[in-house]
Amino acid sequence: MTEQQPHRFERGTDGPKVIVVGMDGSDSSLRAASYAGGLARRQNALLAIVYVQPVMPAGAALGVPVTVGDMTGEIAEELVAEIRSAAERVKGIWEVRWEFHTFRGDPYSGLVAAADELKADAVVVGASESAGHRFIGSVAVRLVKAGRWPVTVVP
């Protein structure tokens, strides 16, 4: 018979270490980033802000994906500038460790790749603003169904 060791409380080791938030510039993604930023601050976690650059098919005959580089590159640069500006406004009041990452692909696959690569403990996304997602499923619903991380959907 082995003697059971008493449980030792470990201060500061519970909770997420890396929180991934999907951001595409939409109002719901901006709210999701704000929510995730507050969560990261309270948990002393790294906030990994992820923008997924869309890839569009060149044509059915070729079947080769082509990145819409100029437009999505500008969006990524605008998002980074907006995030830096917001971080500067709260500097000295709230400190949040954050990184900005760009992945390519469809939003679902890009966020899955980001969460896997960054070893996410939680994923935060904005609710879909597209009516078509009622039929094909939103990114948020697909992430929840994947069941690999806790997923928070911000309206």
Side-chain angles (χ1 to χ4, degrees):
M1 189 161 107
T2 59
E3 187 176 313
Q4 189 174 9
Q5 296 291 321
H7 178 69
R8 218 174 103 217
F9 178 76
E10 299 177 72
R11 179 178 290 283
T13 58
D14 292 335
K17 300 289 182 235
V18 177
I19 299 169
V20 166
V21 61
M23 195 169 168
D24 62 6
S26 67
D27 288 342
S28 66
S29 77
L30 294 172
R31 287 189 297 271
S34 294
Y35 177 87
L39 184 60
R41 180 184 54 80
R42 289 186 298 278
Q43 297 289 333
N44 194 30
L46 173 67
L47 178 63
I49 302 163
V50 175
Y51 170 64
V52 180
Q53 287 185 323
V55 175
M56 301 175 91
L62 297 176
V64 178
V66 175
T67 303
V68 187
D70 292 341
M71 183 177 70
T72 60
E74 287 175 18
I75 292 170
E77 288 173 17
E78 288 173 14
L79 289 173
V80 170
E82 193 169 332
I83 295 162
R84 284 199 175 109
S85 172
E88 278 299 313
R89 285 193 303 268
V90 298
K91 194 173 186 171
I93 302 168
W94 292 315
E95 297 297 326
V96 176
R97 293 180 304 125
W98 64 275
E99 299 174 349
F100 184 84
H101 299 271
T102 302
F103 285 77
R104 287 194 166 95
D106 67 276
Y108 170 76
S109 298
L111 286 172
V112 167
D116 284 345
E117 186 175 311
L118 299 169
K119 297 180 178 26
D121 296 302
V123 177
V124 178
V125 292
S128 174
E129 296 178 352
S130 170
H133 287 159
R134 288 186 211 136
F135 303 107
I136 60 171
S138 68
V139 172
V141 169
R142 292 174 66 196
L143 288 167
V144 169
K145 285 182 177 180
R148 294 165 60 182
W149 323 267
V151 177
T152 302
V153 183
V154 177

